[in-house]
Amino acid sequence: MTSPAPSVGAEAARRRTFAVISHPDAGKSTLTEALALHAKVISEAGAIHGKAGRKSTVSDWMEMEKARGISVSSTALQFDYADCVINLVDTPGHSDFSEDTYRVLTAVDAAVMLIDAAKGLEPQTLKLFQVCKHRGIPVITVINKWDRPGQEPLELLDEIQERIGLTPTPLFLPVGIAGDFRGLLRRGEDGEPEEYVHFTRTAGGATIAPEESLSPEAAAEREGDTWAAAVEESELLSASGQDHDQELFLAGTTSPVIYASAMLNFGVRQLLETLVALAPPPGPRAVVGGAARDVTAPFSAVVFKVQAGMDAAHRDRLAFMRIVSGEFERGMVVTHAQTGKPFATKYALTVFGRERSTVDTAYPGDVVGLVNATALAPGHTLFSDKKVEFPPIPSFAPEHFAVLRAESAGKYKQFRRAIDQLDSEGVVQVLRNDIRGDAAPVLAAVGPMQFEVVTARMRTEFNVETRLEPLGYTVARRTDAASGPELGRQRGVEVFTRTDGVLLALFSDKWRYQYIAKELPDLTLAPLVAATD
Ligand code: G4P
C-alpha cells in the first residue's frame, strides 16, 4: 500500500521560509552554519560558507567573491526541524548587490535581523530592514556576539525602537553581561521568567553547546545577582509593554528578540524554536488583476533569482523559483506566463552551497533551482492550470553608469550574447540609445561591484575581454516618448531605453536634474524605486 499523498495545505503550513538580513561581519555565515549544525545537516560547523580560515568556500562561486570575502550567489538551505521544513534563503552580503537582496526578500515569509551586539544597528541592516517593512515581512531580531564585551542589553533595544520604530519584545534575555554569556532567561507571554537555559561552551563552537534547563528558583540560587539582573530587565520590559504579541509581530510592529552567540551556538536552538512557533507559514500571494493566490491553488511559482556559472563544474544557468501554490513534481510541464510557452521541469535542483541534489517534489515556501532555464528572468511566473501572473519585482534606481566595450571587435558576437545573458539575469541594467549604438551599451548599477561581476564573467564564461569607461551620470529618472527628445537636447542629460522598454533620462548630478525639472515642468520625470524604498 502506498501512503496517501500529503495535502498541500498541510505541507505549506509546516514550511518556514526566511532570510537573514545583516551588515557584513555581523555573523550571517556563522549563524547559517550554526543553524545547519542544529538541524544536523552538517556535523561540524564550518562546512557551508567558509571564509578565510574556515573549511571550504562552498558558496564562493567566483574568484572575485573569494578575494573580497563576499558572497554574491544565492543559495537556499533546506532542513527539517521539529516537524517543520525550514528554508533559509541566502542573501548577498554586500550593499552593492542590494537589488539581489531585494529580490530574495520577495521570496521569503520572514526575516531574521542579525545585529552585532557591540556595533548595534549598522547601515546595511537599516536599509534591508526598510525593505522588509515596505514588503510587510515580519522580523525576528537576533543580537549576536553576546560572548564579547558590548553594550547593555536594554540599550540595544532602545536603539532599535528609536531608530527604526520597531518595538523589540525579547523572548530570551541574556543571563550575564556582554562578554560573560552564561545562558538565556526565557520570558513567558506576560514577561514572567519561565526558564533559565544554561549553556556550556564547546571547543571552537564546532558542536552544539550542551544546554541545561533550570527553574527560575534554581537559576536564582545558581547565578545570584546575575539572574536577578536579567529578571529585573524582564520586568522593566513588561512595564513598558514589551512583551510578545503575535498579531503585532505579524503586522511588523514588534519584533521578538533573542540574544545569541552564533559562534558558540548559544541561542541558535532558541531561534529555530522561535521560527517554528512564531514565523508565518507561506500565505496567499497577490496576483496581477485577480484575487490573491492561495497556497492550495494549482501549482504556481515566482522566479526571484537567475544565476549562471555558479560552479565551474556546472556551467549552466539556474533559475530559482519560490513555490507559491500547489505541489511541484519534477518533470511536470508548466507554463511560463511571460511567453505563454510550456516549460519542462525535468532538471530541478536544490542548491546547498556547492552541493546540488535533485528535487522530486516541493511545496509552497520551497525554493527550487531550474537548470538551463534560459527564458526565465527575475519576477517571472510559472503556473499550471489557469493563467496567473505575479506582479513584477521592481528594479532599483541605478546610481552608477559605465560604457562597456569588447577589447577586440572580432568578439562582437560573443559580447552581444554575454550582455543579453547578464541583462536577463538581472546582473546589471543595460541601457541603449541610437547615438551610442549597440557595440557600446551603457551598464547601470546600484553598486559598482556589479560592474566587476560583469567584466569577470565576460572573461571567464564568455571569453571576452572588456573595457569599462565610467560615465559621469549619477541620477536616473523615468521619462516617456513624448518628453525624451526635449530632454535629450539639454546639457548634462542623456536619454536611454532600458531592455524592459522603460525610457531613462540620466543627469550628471542632482542639481542639473532639479534645474531641468524646474525649468521644464511639463516633462515626465518620475522617480525610480530607490534601494531604500
Ligand atoms: P558575515 O557572514 O555576516 O559577514 O559574518 P561572519 O559569519 O563571517 O562573521 C564575521 C566575524 O565575526 C567572523 O570573525 C566570525 O567568526 C565572527 N563571529 C560571528 N559570530 C560570532 C559570535 O557570536 N561571537 C564572536 N565572538 N564572533 C562571532 P573573523 O575573525 O572575521 O573570521 P573567522 O576567522 O573567525 O572565521
Side-chain angles (χ1 to χ4, degrees):
M1 235 177 70
T2 52
S3 53
S7 99
V8 171
E11 286 297 323
R14 66 190 198 99
R15 270 17 187 214
R16 300 289 182 274
T17 303
F18 76 104
V20 177
I21 57 169
S22 62
H23 195 82
D25 276 345
K28 184 158 67 84
S29 317
T30 311
L31 180 68
T32 304
E33 284 160 11
L35 287 167
L37 174 69
H38 274 262
K40 303 212 175 43
V41 175
I42 52 171
S43 54
E44 201 179 311
I48 312 172
H49 281 253
K51 283 195 190 167
R54 295 218 201 105
K55 268 198 168 163
S56 66
T57 51
V58 176
S59 74
D60 291 349
W61 59 284
M62 278 175 60
E63 287 304 318
M64 190 189 113
E65 290 185 296
K66 282 188 205 155
R68 292 192 176 251
I70 55 163
S71 151
V72 180
S73 43
S74 197
T75 54
L77 168 62
Q78 184 180 68
F79 53 88
D80 290 323
Y81 187 82
D83 280 341
C84 276
V85 177
I86 313 273
N87 293 305
L88 166 52
V89 192
D90 192 19
T91 51
H94 197 281
S95 62
D96 279 13
F97 303 107
S98 40
E99 189 151 23
D100 275 348
T101 304
Y102 186 89
R103 294 183 191 130
V104 169
L105 290 174
T106 65
V108 299
D109 302 308
V112 167
M113 178 165 76
L114 186 68
I115 299 174
D116 182 326
K119 295 187 179 151
L121 286 170
E122 295 178 87
Q124 178 72 352
T125 326
L126 288 171
K127 259 194 181 181
L128 294 171
F129 168 75
Q130 294 304 340
V131 174
C132 293
K133 192 171 162 181
H134 183 67
R135 295 200 57 84
I137 302 169
V139 174
I140 296 169
T141 302
V142 172
I143 297 180
N144 191 31
K145 306 196 187 182
W146 198 254
D147 60 292
R148 287 215 301 224
Q151 307 182 36
E152 294 288 323
L154 301 193
E155 239 174 63
L156 277 158
L157 302 183
D158 284 348
E159 188 188 347
I160 295 171
Q161 173 93 54
E162 277 159 25
R163 290 184 63 193
I164 59 180
L166 184 68
T167 302
T169 55
L171 303 170
F172 294 93
L173 281 173
V175 177
I177 56 166
D180 177 27
F181 195 3
R182 302 182 194 180
L184 290 169
L185 175 154
R186 178 201 292 275
R187 303 178 74 221
E189 291 256 317
D190 50 1
E192 279 297 297
E194 282 191 338
E195 182 195 8
Y196 172 38
V197 186
H198 175 264
F199 298 110
T200 305
R201 285 179 183 233
T202 62
T207 52
I208 291 175
E211 285 183 12
E212 193 185 346
S213 169
L214 280 82
S215 67
E217 295 73 31
E221 204 160 297
R222 178 139 153 200
E223 303 291 357
D225 288 350
T226 306
W227 173 258
V231 172
E232 195 186 319
E233 278 154 5
S234 185
E235 285 166 357
L236 286 171
L237 289 167
S238 293
S240 59
Q242 286 174 260
D243 298 332
H244 174 69
D245 179 310
Q246 184 66 7
E247 249 176 63
L248 294 178
F249 160 56
L250 293 179
T253 310
T254 64
S255 175
V257 180
I258 301 164
Y259 289 75
S261 165
M263 193 182 74
L264 298 178
N265 286 304
F266 289 10
V268 176
R269 192 182 65 76
Q270 286 68 25
L271 171 60
L272 281 169
E273 206 184 274
T274 303
L275 284 163
V276 166
L278 308 181
R285 190 181 185 98
V287 303
V288 176
R293 182 90 163 174
D294 193 75
V295 291
T296 54
F299 168 82
S300 65
V302 62
V303 175
F304 65 94
K305 174 89 189 167
V306 174
Q307 186 104 60
M310 280 180 79
D311 188 329
H314 304 271
R315 283 237 175 272
D316 47 14
R317 173 172 156 134
L318 275 171
F320 291 95
M321 62 172 177
R322 140 121 192 187
I323 297 174
V324 174
S325 64
E327 183 180 27
F328 170 78
E329 276 185 75
R330 188 169 64 85
M332 72 198 285
V333 178
V334 298
T335 310
H336 176 212
Q338 277 65 23
T339 57
K341 289 192 178 150
F343 185 91
T345 60
K346 190 170 166 200
Y347 300 104
L349 303 169
T350 55
V351 179
F352 165 42
R354 201 165 275 166
E355 299 294 317
R356 295 167 158 221
S357 48
T358 298
V359 176
D360 287 318
T361 46
Y363 294 96
D366 290 345
V367 169
V368 175
L370 297 167
V371 180
N372 283 333
T374 40
L376 303 184
H380 284 188
T381 303
L382 293 168
F383 66 90
S384 61
D385 209 53
K386 285 203 197 88
K387 182 172 178 184
V388 63
E389 195 173 331
F390 298 110
I393 303 174
S395 54
F396 279 12
E399 289 169 19
H400 300 267
F401 305 89
V403 179
L404 187 74
R405 288 178 213 279
E407 289 279 12
S408 141
K411 293 268 185 167
Y412 179 65
K413 252 193 179 155
Q414 290 97 311
F415 175 75
R416 187 62 217 250
R417 199 159 48 84
I419 285 285
D420 288 349
Q421 159 92 36
L422 299 172
D423 188 8
S424 70
E425 279 180 42
V427 174
V428 279
Q429 298 176 26
V430 179
L431 315 180
R432 295 184 169 93
N433 63 23
D434 290 344
I435 300 164
R436 290 182 181 271
D438 235 11
V442 169
L443 308 186
V446 174
M449 232 190 268
Q450 286 175 263
F451 294 147
E452 285 184 47
V453 172
V454 170
T455 49
R457 288 188 55 187
M458 281 275 183
R459 183 179 313 120
T460 53
E461 277 169 56
F462 300 91
N463 200 20
V464 184
E465 289 296 334
T466 50
R467 196 169 67 241
L468 266 175
E469 294 156 20
L471 269 182
Y473 299 116
T474 55
V475 175
R477 285 288 182 277
R478 180 194 277 256
T479 184
D480 56 21
S483 303
E486 176 72 39
L487 279 165
R489 283 192 286 276
Q490 305 300 314
R491 194 168 45 83
V493 187
E494 197 172 342
V495 179
F496 291 90
T497 307
R498 196 166 64 186
T499 312
D500 61 1
V502 170
L503 248 56
L504 295 186
L506 306 190
F507 299 83
S508 48
D509 52 53
K510 75 172 191 239
W511 296 279
R512 192 79 209 132
Y513 159 67
Q514 283 164 352
Y515 176 78
I516 289 170
K518 196 164 151 246
E519 292 296 305
L520 303 165
D522 294 336
L523 298 183
T524 304
L525 286 172
L528 294 144
V529 179
T532 46
D533 276 2

